[in-house]
Amino acid sequence: MVVTSGTALGAVIGTIGFAAFGILCGLLYKGFDRKISAHMQSRIGPPIIQPFLDVSKFMIKDSVQPERALAWLYNAAPIVSLASVITVLLYLPFGGLTFTPILSGHGDLILVVYLLILPALAMVAGGFASSSPFATIGAQRKMVTMMSYEFPLAVVAIAIAWKLNQLYPGESVFGLAFIYSHPLWGHVGPAGIIGMLLLLFSIVVVTPGQLATVPFDIDEASPEIAEGLTAEYSGRNFALFYLADAAKMVAVGTLTVALFFPYDLSPLIGISGPVGSFIDFVFFLLKLFLVTTLTVTLTRVAVARLKVSQVPTSYWGATTAIALVGLILLVVPN
């Protein structure tokens, strides 16, 4: 396909828009996360805008580089982390189908599943490059977590695409826009609904591992390894990691919404046009907030950090088994 100057300009503007939305929305949800968890623990907590204040503080500080660090890799890791998350955002259907994904139709679901590894890999590379013993331990733990949650996540993605292929043979069943516009809940029997619920449970368990939050925050356990991967990061470099983490929260939450809650509100209330699109976008933000609260905030408050040895056991054992049972119940005709 020949890319015209107008198309290229639109892609650039769209990329900036999606990146800005993901980062700003992620920082806002981080603020809600801290506020809600504080109230659940009978604390007042910081203001909702605290993540914005933190980023602005990091940005005006200098980045201190360790003497023994591998400079180019140490400084490149935060940039790669943020850039890879922004790339993921370009595949996701925000606000239902109000905004067409810029990279829609170029691999989508399977590619997104593996692109989500890149921010973590960048952090691992940065941790090793810093030459800090705390960061090295954190990087090793991060790799263990990554290898653990990828299998159940892949099972969830394959199960949904497999069922869609049964219902719509020959269609682009791995396209996230297609998945969003073809909800499965009303097209499966009782066993299929149970399978969907098991798959949903699996992705709820996987999400804290992807975002390195409790109970799967073993790579940054402050009392043990002093923030681990980011122990030697400061200033603008740390801010980039912080922004990548905020945007990744939005990306992972949006992926869950697209796979399991792909419903718009405007068709139900009979409103179309710009007003209907606005309603669908607000409804999407509400779904994203609820998914984030369930998978991150409530889990972080209710559960303690796991041991390092418990992470692969939890993912490769129970979570993968549940996901495989969900796949069987979903794809077997019933």
Side-chain angles (χ1 to χ4, degrees), residues 35 93-94 117 124 176 224 226 239 270 274 286 297 307 328:
K35 196 70 173 179
F94 289 112
I117 302 176
V124 168
L176 281 169
E224 303 171 22
L286 176 61
T297 309
K307 297 179 181 178
I328 294 171

mmCIF file of all heavy atoms in Angstrom, residues 35 93-94 117 124 176 224 226 239 270 274 286 297 307 328:
data_model
loop_
_atom_site.group_PDB
_atom_site.id
_atom_site.type_symbol
_atom_site.label_atom_id
_atom_site.label_comp_id
_atom_site.label_asym_id
_atom_site.label_seq_id
_atom_site.Cartn_x
_atom_site.Cartn_y
_atom_site.Cartn_z
ATOM 1 N N LYS A 35 -6.187 6.222 45.663
ATOM 2 C CA LYS A 35 -7.216 6.798 46.519
ATOM 3 C C LYS A 35 -8.174 5.722 47.029
ATOM 4 O O LYS A 35 -8.508 5.684 48.227
ATOM 5 C CB LYS A 35 -7.999 7.860 45.738
ATOM 6 C CG LYS A 35 -8.819 8.795 46.626
ATOM 7 C CD LYS A 35 -7.923 9.707 47.424
ATOM 8 C CE LYS A 35 -8.713 10.771 48.178
ATOM 9 N NZ LYS A 35 -7.844 11.644 48.983
ATOM 10 N N PRO A 93 -9.108 -1.054 20.362
ATOM 11 C CA PRO A 93 -10.337 -0.307 20.064
ATOM 12 C C PRO A 93 -10.791 0.513 21.268
ATOM 13 O O PRO A 93 -11.466 0.005 22.163
ATOM 14 C CB PRO A 93 -11.347 -1.417 19.726
ATOM 15 C CG PRO A 93 -10.877 -2.597 20.525
ATOM 16 C CD PRO A 93 -9.374 -2.478 20.633
ATOM 17 N N PHE A 94 -10.424 1.777 21.300
ATOM 18 C CA PHE A 94 -10.820 2.643 22.412
ATOM 19 C C PHE A 94 -12.235 3.169 22.189
ATOM 20 O O PHE A 94 -12.620 3.500 21.075
ATOM 21 C CB PHE A 94 -9.860 3.832 22.536
ATOM 22 C CG PHE A 94 -8.505 3.449 23.042
ATOM 23 C CD1 PHE A 94 -7.392 3.529 22.228
ATOM 24 C CD2 PHE A 94 -8.342 2.986 24.330
ATOM 25 C CE1 PHE A 94 -6.145 3.171 22.685
ATOM 26 C CE2 PHE A 94 -7.096 2.617 24.803
ATOM 27 C CZ PHE A 94 -6.001 2.712 23.980
ATOM 28 N N ILE A 117 5.020 -7.908 26.018
ATOM 29 C CA ILE A 117 6.232 -8.381 26.691
ATOM 30 C C ILE A 117 7.346 -7.345 26.615
ATOM 31 O O ILE A 117 8.187 -7.251 27.518
ATOM 32 C CB ILE A 117 6.720 -9.698 26.049
ATOM 33 C CG1 ILE A 117 5.638 -10.768 26.109
ATOM 34 C CG2 ILE A 117 7.988 -10.195 26.735
ATOM 35 C CD1 ILE A 117 6.028 -12.040 25.398
ATOM 36 N N VAL A 124 13.885 -5.237 32.118
ATOM 37 C CA VAL A 124 14.892 -6.250 32.461
ATOM 38 C C VAL A 124 16.263 -5.833 31.931
ATOM 39 O O VAL A 124 17.277 -5.903 32.648
ATOM 40 C CB VAL A 124 14.478 -7.621 31.883
ATOM 41 C CG1 VAL A 124 15.642 -8.609 31.983
ATOM 42 C CG2 VAL A 124 13.272 -8.163 32.627
ATOM 43 N N LEU A 176 -8.739 -7.314 16.664
ATOM 44 C CA LEU A 176 -9.396 -6.830 17.868
ATOM 45 C C LEU A 176 -10.670 -6.053 17.550
ATOM 46 O O LEU A 176 -11.641 -6.097 18.319
ATOM 47 C CB LEU A 176 -8.425 -5.962 18.677
ATOM 48 C CG LEU A 176 -7.402 -6.756 19.499
ATOM 49 C CD1 LEU A 176 -6.325 -5.839 20.041
ATOM 50 C CD2 LEU A 176 -8.089 -7.492 20.629
ATOM 51 N N GLU A 224 12.635 -5.972 50.301
ATOM 52 C CA GLU A 224 13.627 -6.998 50.013
ATOM 53 C C GLU A 224 14.754 -6.489 49.119
ATOM 54 O O GLU A 224 15.937 -6.692 49.414
ATOM 55 C CB GLU A 224 12.957 -8.202 49.331
ATOM 56 C CG GLU A 224 11.831 -8.823 50.138
ATOM 57 C CD GLU A 224 11.072 -9.861 49.330
ATOM 58 O OE1 GLU A 224 11.629 -10.389 48.350
ATOM 59 O OE2 GLU A 224 9.905 -10.134 49.670
ATOM 60 N N ALA A 226 14.791 -3.177 47.450
ATOM 61 C CA ALA A 226 14.838 -1.718 47.256
ATOM 62 C C ALA A 226 14.351 -1.269 45.879
ATOM 63 O O ALA A 226 15.062 -0.595 45.142
ATOM 64 C CB ALA A 226 16.260 -1.201 47.491
ATOM 65 N N ALA A 239 10.861 8.683 35.056
ATOM 66 C CA ALA A 239 9.564 9.205 34.624
ATOM 67 C C ALA A 239 9.049 8.445 33.411
ATOM 68 O O ALA A 239 7.849 8.163 33.298
ATOM 69 C CB ALA A 239 9.669 10.695 34.316
ATOM 70 N N GLY A 270 -30.931 3.465 21.789
ATOM 71 C CA GLY A 270 -31.430 3.992 20.526
ATOM 72 C C GLY A 270 -30.884 5.344 20.124
ATOM 73 O O GLY A 270 -31.602 6.133 19.500
ATOM 74 N N PRO A 274 -22.954 11.424 16.512
ATOM 75 C CA PRO A 274 -21.911 11.902 17.435
ATOM 76 C C PRO A 274 -22.272 11.728 18.899
ATOM 77 O O PRO A 274 -21.406 11.396 19.715
ATOM 78 C CB PRO A 274 -21.771 13.392 17.067
ATOM 79 C CG PRO A 274 -22.263 13.483 15.661
ATOM 80 C CD PRO A 274 -23.349 12.464 15.538
ATOM 81 N N LEU A 286 -15.925 3.881 31.680
ATOM 82 C CA LEU A 286 -16.483 3.277 32.891
ATOM 83 C C LEU A 286 -16.098 1.804 32.977
ATOM 84 O O LEU A 286 -15.693 1.324 34.054
ATOM 85 C CB LEU A 286 -18.003 3.435 32.898
ATOM 86 C CG LEU A 286 -18.748 2.768 34.060
ATOM 87 C CD1 LEU A 286 -18.309 3.355 35.394
ATOM 88 C CD2 LEU A 286 -20.262 2.921 33.883
ATOM 89 N N THR A 297 -6.700 -2.781 41.883
ATOM 90 C CA THR A 297 -6.905 -2.168 43.198
ATOM 91 C C THR A 297 -7.384 -3.178 44.235
ATOM 92 O O THR A 297 -6.769 -3.335 45.303
ATOM 93 C CB THR A 297 -7.900 -1.010 43.096
ATOM 94 O OG1 THR A 297 -7.494 -0.124 42.051
ATOM 95 C CG2 THR A 297 -7.969 -0.249 44.412
ATOM 96 N N LYS A 307 5.558 -15.448 47.299
ATOM 97 C CA LYS A 307 6.977 -15.773 47.247
ATOM 98 C C LYS A 307 7.384 -15.964 45.786
ATOM 99 O O LYS A 307 6.556 -16.227 44.925
ATOM 100 C CB LYS A 307 7.252 -17.048 48.039
ATOM 101 C CG LYS A 307 6.947 -16.948 49.521
ATOM 102 C CD LYS A 307 7.229 -18.274 50.205
ATOM 103 C CE LYS A 307 6.906 -18.210 51.694
ATOM 104 N NZ LYS A 307 7.143 -19.515 52.358
ATOM 105 N N ILE A 328 -11.698 -25.551 26.574
ATOM 106 C CA ILE A 328 -12.430 -26.760 26.173
ATOM 107 C C ILE A 328 -13.942 -26.535 26.242
ATOM 108 O O ILE A 328 -14.682 -26.880 25.304
ATOM 109 C CB ILE A 328 -12.023 -27.944 27.059
ATOM 110 C CG1 ILE A 328 -10.554 -28.311 26.816
ATOM 111 C CG2 ILE A 328 -12.913 -29.162 26.808
ATOM 112 C CD1 ILE A 328 -9.990 -29.313 27.793
#
